[in-house]
Amino acid sequence: MALLIDFENLVRSVEEEDIDCEAVFRLADEYGRVLVANAYADWRIKDVNQYQTELYGLGIELVHVLGRRHGALIKNAVDVKMAVDAVSLMSSLPHIDVFVIVSGDRDFIHVLKELRRHGKTVIGVSPNKAVSKDFSALCDRFLRYEALTSTLELADAEGIEEVRSALTDVVRNNPNGLKGSELKTALRRLLSSSFDESAYGFRSFASFLNKMNDIVRVVPAPAAGGDLRVFPLSTGSAATSEQESEAVRLIHQAKLHNLGYDADVRRRRRVLSRLFDIVTSSGKPMAVAEVHATMETDDAETPTLGKLVKYARVLSMCGVLVVEHRQNDAFFRDQPMSLASHIDKLESLVLAYETAVVARLLAFSGGMPAIEAGQVCAVLGLDGSSPDDLDYCNGVLEEAMQGATDDPLSDAGNRDSAAATRKNGQSQT
């Protein structure tokens, strides 16, 4: 990552305290290895040159930019030099993917747009006095400088009740939960583009949410990586939260993501429903690519073609989608398929797909019945406290256990070749 500091802007905007140079550098260090660290200023100015030794000791390079004199004042000329260096770094050091920009000057927004256009992550830092809404809105994360050195308690934070109210509204409108990154984006839309948990004394969004445990229920990010999920507190108890956390672990352990599996039951069953409707209404075999093209014309929530192919592979491996005319040189997505004769209603298709998913879970647990119906409900995104959902999951589990001696889906998520197609046909035979 790269750290670029408009040091003149920082010194002039922070009132009644010395600049904590280490706090800014520590923030940058959290995002990766700091390859470039520059502090820009006209170092002739008394207010800034007193920090030269501290900055040098941190390994921050002092970039001297002569300002223009206007009487007794010196006009800051740092912006242009910082902008040139930021754009230059994208070509000279393309492996830098995070830029921490300490400025806040609205004139810098064009550079932020260019960084984001090239896929760079932008972390913005501004003193309270210098915050620009345009600048903060273009940052992937925005922090106020004062928050980096603050020991503020949440209860004493200004505006905390407004944050609590916005948080309550967002999670209430998302009873099925949402990712931490999605929640933070929603809060920034409701509150301010400069919203960040650091303003309330927290180093991470997770610790901030855990403090709001009277409003939200947080399911931690899985050990294998990913984002935490946040639910309204009213949707379940701590036991439910633990069950969902276990479900996330099982999903990663069984590598269900390799199958394109979507844990959101509404989205998953919508995809299966659209696939069923399109294939049955066509009256003839259809390739997955054709099904996807039809979905795109009438469905705002169409999955990608790659994801739909993974759905089709699972259904093919469990005998629900049958390849009509095998073509050894054609990709799986281009081969015409039809539903097996016993799949005469949507419920049968959904049951077959979800049974295959649970069979995968059992295969990764050695085929032993170590998985309970409540865990199956959590993995499938159903309500473990509902008798109907629990009965359904018990039935799925029993059916999956009957054929869980091996894992028929072991390679379903990553094959798209003629050889894989031939193997699919052999499995179905």
Short mmCIF file of all heavy atoms in Angstrom, two decimals, residues 135-173:
data_model
loop_
_atom_site.label_atom_id
_atom_site.label_comp_id
_atom_site.label_asym_id
_atom_site.label_seq_id
_atom_site.Cartn_x
_atom_site.Cartn_y
_atom_site.Cartn_z
N PHE A 135 -14.97 14.56 -1.22
CA PHE A 135 -13.79 13.73 -0.99
C PHE A 135 -14.17 12.44 -0.27
O PHE A 135 -13.81 11.34 -0.68
CB PHE A 135 -12.76 14.52 -0.17
CG PHE A 135 -11.50 13.78 0.16
CD1 PHE A 135 -10.40 13.84 -0.69
CD2 PHE A 135 -11.39 13.03 1.32
CE1 PHE A 135 -9.22 13.16 -0.39
CE2 PHE A 135 -10.23 12.35 1.63
CZ PHE A 135 -9.14 12.41 0.77
N SER A 136 -14.92 12.56 0.82
CA SER A 136 -15.26 11.39 1.63
C SER A 136 -16.14 10.40 0.87
O SER A 136 -16.03 9.19 1.05
CB SER A 136 -15.95 11.82 2.93
OG SER A 136 -17.15 12.53 2.66
N ALA A 137 -17.02 10.91 -0.01
CA ALA A 137 -17.93 10.03 -0.74
C ALA A 137 -17.19 9.12 -1.72
O ALA A 137 -17.70 8.04 -2.06
CB ALA A 137 -18.96 10.86 -1.50
N LEU A 138 -16.01 9.51 -2.16
CA LEU A 138 -15.26 8.71 -3.13
C LEU A 138 -14.30 7.72 -2.48
O LEU A 138 -13.61 6.99 -3.18
CB LEU A 138 -14.47 9.64 -4.06
CG LEU A 138 -15.31 10.37 -5.11
CD1 LEU A 138 -14.48 11.43 -5.81
CD2 LEU A 138 -15.88 9.40 -6.12
N CYS A 139 -14.25 7.70 -1.17
CA CYS A 139 -13.35 6.80 -0.46
C CYS A 139 -14.05 5.48 -0.13
O CYS A 139 -15.23 5.47 0.23
CB CYS A 139 -12.84 7.44 0.84
SG CYS A 139 -11.86 8.94 0.59
N ASP A 140 -13.32 4.37 -0.23
CA ASP A 140 -13.88 3.09 0.20
C ASP A 140 -14.06 3.08 1.71
O ASP A 140 -14.97 2.43 2.23
CB ASP A 140 -12.94 1.95 -0.23
CG ASP A 140 -12.87 1.83 -1.73
OD1 ASP A 140 -13.85 1.36 -2.32
OD2 ASP A 140 -11.85 2.23 -2.32
N ARG A 141 -13.17 3.78 2.40
CA ARG A 141 -13.34 4.01 3.82
C ARG A 141 -12.84 5.41 4.12
O ARG A 141 -11.80 5.83 3.59
CB ARG A 141 -12.56 2.99 4.67
CG ARG A 141 -12.81 3.16 6.17
CD ARG A 141 -11.97 2.24 7.04
NE ARG A 141 -12.29 2.44 8.45
CZ ARG A 141 -11.57 1.94 9.46
NH1 ARG A 141 -10.51 1.19 9.21
NH2 ARG A 141 -11.92 2.18 10.71
N PHE A 142 -13.58 6.15 4.93
CA PHE A 142 -13.18 7.50 5.28
C PHE A 142 -13.11 7.64 6.79
O PHE A 142 -14.02 7.21 7.51
CB PHE A 142 -14.16 8.53 4.71
CG PHE A 142 -13.81 9.94 5.11
CD1 PHE A 142 -12.85 10.65 4.42
CD2 PHE A 142 -14.44 10.53 6.19
CE1 PHE A 142 -12.50 11.93 4.80
CE2 PHE A 142 -14.11 11.82 6.58
CZ PHE A 142 -13.14 12.52 5.89
N LEU A 143 -12.03 8.24 7.30
CA LEU A 143 -11.87 8.44 8.73
C LEU A 143 -11.50 9.89 9.00
O LEU A 143 -10.81 10.53 8.19
CB LEU A 143 -10.76 7.56 9.31
CG LEU A 143 -10.83 6.06 9.11
CD1 LEU A 143 -10.10 5.64 7.85
CD2 LEU A 143 -10.23 5.34 10.32
N ARG A 144 -11.94 10.39 10.11
CA ARG A 144 -11.49 11.70 10.57
C ARG A 144 -10.20 11.52 11.36
O ARG A 144 -10.09 10.59 12.16
CB ARG A 144 -12.57 12.36 11.42
CG ARG A 144 -13.85 12.63 10.63
CD ARG A 144 -14.98 13.11 11.51
NE ARG A 144 -16.24 13.16 10.76
CZ ARG A 144 -16.71 14.25 10.16
NH1 ARG A 144 -16.02 15.37 10.23
NH2 ARG A 144 -17.84 14.21 9.49
N TYR A 145 -9.26 12.42 11.14
CA TYR A 145 -7.96 12.30 11.80
C TYR A 145 -8.12 12.23 13.32
O TYR A 145 -7.47 11.42 14.00
CB TYR A 145 -7.06 13.48 11.42
CG TYR A 145 -5.89 13.65 12.36
CD1 TYR A 145 -4.76 12.84 12.24
CD2 TYR A 145 -5.94 14.58 13.41
CE1 TYR A 145 -3.71 12.96 13.13
CE2 TYR A 145 -4.89 14.70 14.29
CZ TYR A 145 -3.78 13.90 14.16
OH TYR A 145 -2.74 14.01 15.05
N GLU A 146 -9.01 13.04 13.87
CA GLU A 146 -9.18 13.08 15.31
C GLU A 146 -9.60 11.73 15.88
O GLU A 146 -9.29 11.41 17.03
CB GLU A 146 -10.22 14.15 15.69
CG GLU A 146 -9.76 15.58 15.49
CD GLU A 146 -9.81 16.05 14.04
OE1 GLU A 146 -10.30 15.27 13.18
OE2 GLU A 146 -9.38 17.17 13.76
N ALA A 147 -10.31 10.93 15.09
CA ALA A 147 -10.76 9.62 15.56
C ALA A 147 -9.60 8.64 15.72
O ALA A 147 -9.69 7.69 16.50
CB ALA A 147 -11.78 9.03 14.59
N LEU A 148 -8.50 8.86 14.99
CA LEU A 148 -7.35 7.96 15.09
C LEU A 148 -6.66 8.06 16.44
O LEU A 148 -6.02 7.11 16.88
CB LEU A 148 -6.33 8.26 13.98
CG LEU A 148 -6.81 8.09 12.55
CD1 LEU A 148 -5.71 8.50 11.58
CD2 LEU A 148 -7.22 6.65 12.30
N THR A 149 -6.78 9.20 17.09
CA THR A 149 -6.11 9.40 18.38
C THR A 149 -7.09 9.50 19.54
O THR A 149 -6.70 9.71 20.68
CB THR A 149 -5.27 10.69 18.33
OG1 THR A 149 -6.13 11.80 18.02
CG2 THR A 149 -4.19 10.59 17.28
N SER A 150 -8.40 9.33 19.22
CA SER A 150 -9.43 9.52 20.24
C SER A 150 -9.59 8.28 21.11
O SER A 150 -9.43 7.15 20.66
CB SER A 150 -10.77 9.84 19.57
OG SER A 150 -11.81 9.87 20.52
N THR A 151 -9.92 8.49 22.38
CA THR A 151 -10.26 7.40 23.30
C THR A 151 -11.74 7.55 23.70
O THR A 151 -12.14 7.18 24.79
CB THR A 151 -9.37 7.44 24.55
OG1 THR A 151 -9.48 8.74 25.17
CG2 THR A 151 -7.92 7.18 24.19
N LEU A 152 -12.51 8.10 22.80
CA LEU A 152 -13.91 8.39 23.05
C LEU A 152 -14.70 7.13 23.39
O LEU A 152 -14.52 6.09 22.78
CB LEU A 152 -14.51 9.02 21.78
CG LEU A 152 -15.91 9.61 21.85
CD1 LEU A 152 -15.91 10.83 22.76
CD2 LEU A 152 -16.36 9.99 20.46
N GLU A 153 -15.57 7.21 24.38
CA GLU A 153 -16.47 6.12 24.72
C GLU A 153 -17.74 6.24 23.88
O GLU A 153 -18.22 7.35 23.61
CB GLU A 153 -16.83 6.16 26.21
CG GLU A 153 -15.68 5.81 27.13
CD GLU A 153 -15.23 4.36 26.99
OE1 GLU A 153 -16.09 3.51 26.66
OE2 GLU A 153 -14.05 4.10 27.17
N LEU A 154 -18.31 5.10 23.50
CA LEU A 154 -19.48 5.10 22.62
C LEU A 154 -20.62 5.91 23.21
O LEU A 154 -21.28 6.67 22.51
CB LEU A 154 -19.93 3.66 22.37
CG LEU A 154 -21.08 3.46 21.39
CD1 LEU A 154 -20.68 3.96 20.01
CD2 LEU A 154 -21.49 2.01 21.31
N ALA A 155 -20.86 5.76 24.51
CA ALA A 155 -22.00 6.44 25.13
C ALA A 155 -21.84 7.96 25.10
O ALA A 155 -22.83 8.69 25.15
CB ALA A 155 -22.15 5.96 26.58
N ASP A 156 -20.60 8.44 25.01
CA ASP A 156 -20.35 9.88 25.03
C ASP A 156 -20.25 10.48 23.64
O ASP A 156 -20.12 11.69 23.49
CB ASP A 156 -19.05 10.18 25.79
CG ASP A 156 -19.08 9.66 27.23
OD1 ASP A 156 -20.19 9.69 27.81
OD2 ASP A 156 -18.04 9.24 27.73
N ALA A 157 -20.28 9.64 22.62
CA ALA A 157 -20.05 10.11 21.26
C ALA A 157 -21.21 10.98 20.78
O ALA A 157 -22.38 10.63 20.94
CB ALA A 157 -19.83 8.94 20.31
N GLU A 158 -20.87 12.10 20.16
CA GLU A 158 -21.89 12.97 19.60
C GLU A 158 -22.57 12.30 18.42
O GLU A 158 -21.92 11.73 17.55
CB GLU A 158 -21.23 14.28 19.14
CG GLU A 158 -22.23 15.30 18.61
CD GLU A 158 -21.55 16.59 18.19
OE1 GLU A 158 -20.35 16.75 18.48
OE2 GLU A 158 -22.23 17.42 17.57
N GLY A 159 -23.90 12.34 18.39
CA GLY A 159 -24.64 11.78 17.27
C GLY A 159 -24.86 10.29 17.35
O GLY A 159 -25.36 9.69 16.39
N ILE A 160 -24.53 9.64 18.47
CA ILE A 160 -24.62 8.19 18.54
C ILE A 160 -26.07 7.72 18.45
O ILE A 160 -26.36 6.66 17.88
CB ILE A 160 -23.96 7.64 19.83
CG1 ILE A 160 -23.90 6.13 19.79
CG2 ILE A 160 -24.68 8.12 21.07
CD1 ILE A 160 -23.14 5.58 18.60
N GLU A 161 -27.02 8.51 18.96
CA GLU A 161 -28.43 8.11 18.90
C GLU A 161 -28.92 8.10 17.45
O GLU A 161 -29.74 7.26 17.06
CB GLU A 161 -29.29 9.04 19.76
CG GLU A 161 -29.11 8.83 21.25
CD GLU A 161 -29.29 7.37 21.66
OE1 GLU A 161 -30.23 6.72 21.15
OE2 GLU A 161 -28.49 6.88 22.47
N GLU A 162 -28.40 9.02 16.64
CA GLU A 162 -28.77 9.05 15.23
C GLU A 162 -28.24 7.79 14.52
O GLU A 162 -28.92 7.20 13.69
CB GLU A 162 -28.19 10.30 14.56
CG GLU A 162 -28.59 10.45 13.11
CD GLU A 162 -27.97 11.67 12.46
OE1 GLU A 162 -27.18 12.36 13.12
OE2 GLU A 162 -28.28 11.91 11.27
N VAL A 163 -27.03 7.36 14.92
CA VAL A 163 -26.45 6.14 14.35
C VAL A 163 -27.27 4.93 14.76
O VAL A 163 -27.57 4.05 13.95
CB VAL A 163 -24.98 5.97 14.81
CG1 VAL A 163 -24.43 4.63 14.34
CG2 VAL A 163 -24.13 7.11 14.28
N ARG A 164 -27.65 4.85 16.02
CA ARG A 164 -28.44 3.73 16.51
C ARG A 164 -29.79 3.66 15.78
O ARG A 164 -30.25 2.57 15.42
CB ARG A 164 -28.67 3.87 18.02
CG ARG A 164 -27.42 3.63 18.86
CD ARG A 164 -27.70 3.93 20.35
NE ARG A 164 -28.75 3.10 20.86
CZ ARG A 164 -28.58 1.85 21.31
NH1 ARG A 164 -27.38 1.31 21.31
NH2 ARG A 164 -29.59 1.16 21.77
N SER A 165 -30.40 4.81 15.55
CA SER A 165 -31.67 4.84 14.84
C SER A 165 -31.52 4.36 13.40
O SER A 165 -32.35 3.56 12.91
CB SER A 165 -32.22 6.28 14.86
OG SER A 165 -33.41 6.37 14.11
N ALA A 166 -30.46 4.81 12.73
CA ALA A 166 -30.22 4.38 11.34
C ALA A 166 -29.93 2.89 11.28
O ALA A 166 -30.43 2.18 10.39
CB ALA A 166 -29.06 5.17 10.74
N LEU A 167 -29.15 2.40 12.22
CA LEU A 167 -28.82 0.97 12.27
C LEU A 167 -30.09 0.14 12.46
O LEU A 167 -30.28 -0.90 11.80
CB LEU A 167 -27.82 0.71 13.40
CG LEU A 167 -27.38 -0.73 13.63
CD1 LEU A 167 -26.67 -1.27 12.38
CD2 LEU A 167 -26.47 -0.83 14.84
N THR A 168 -30.96 0.59 13.35
CA THR A 168 -32.22 -0.11 13.59
C THR A 168 -33.06 -0.18 12.33
O THR A 168 -33.63 -1.23 11.99
CB THR A 168 -33.01 0.60 14.71
OG1 THR A 168 -32.23 0.63 15.90
CG2 THR A 168 -34.32 -0.12 14.99
N ASP A 169 -33.14 0.94 11.60
CA ASP A 169 -33.94 0.99 10.37
C ASP A 169 -33.40 0.03 9.31
O ASP A 169 -34.16 -0.69 8.65
CB ASP A 169 -33.97 2.41 9.80
CG ASP A 169 -34.80 3.36 10.65
OD1 ASP A 169 -35.60 2.87 11.48
OD2 ASP A 169 -34.62 4.59 10.51
N VAL A 170 -32.06 0.01 9.15
CA VAL A 170 -31.46 -0.81 8.10
C VAL A 170 -31.69 -2.30 8.37
O VAL A 170 -32.12 -3.04 7.48
CB VAL A 170 -29.95 -0.53 7.96
CG1 VAL A 170 -29.31 -1.51 6.98
CG2 VAL A 170 -29.72 0.89 7.47
N VAL A 171 -31.42 -2.74 9.59
CA VAL A 171 -31.55 -4.18 9.87
C VAL A 171 -33.01 -4.61 9.91
O VAL A 171 -33.33 -5.74 9.57
CB VAL A 171 -30.83 -4.58 11.18
CG1 VAL A 171 -29.34 -4.35 11.07
CG2 VAL A 171 -31.39 -3.83 12.38
N ARG A 172 -33.90 -3.70 10.30
CA ARG A 172 -35.32 -4.04 10.30
C ARG A 172 -35.81 -4.32 8.89
O ARG A 172 -36.66 -5.18 8.66
CB ARG A 172 -36.14 -2.90 10.91
CG ARG A 172 -37.65 -3.21 11.00
CD ARG A 172 -38.45 -1.98 11.35
NE ARG A 172 -38.11 -1.47 12.68
CZ ARG A 172 -37.78 -0.22 12.93
NH1 ARG A 172 -37.72 0.66 11.94
NH2 ARG A 172 -37.50 0.18 14.16
N ASN A 173 -35.25 -3.60 7.92
CA ASN A 173 -35.64 -3.79 6.52
C ASN A 173 -34.92 -4.96 5.85
O ASN A 173 -35.16 -5.24 4.67
CB ASN A 173 -35.37 -2.50 5.73
CG ASN A 173 -36.26 -1.35 6.15
OD1 ASN A 173 -37.39 -1.57 6.57
ND2 ASN A 173 -35.75 -0.14 6.07
#
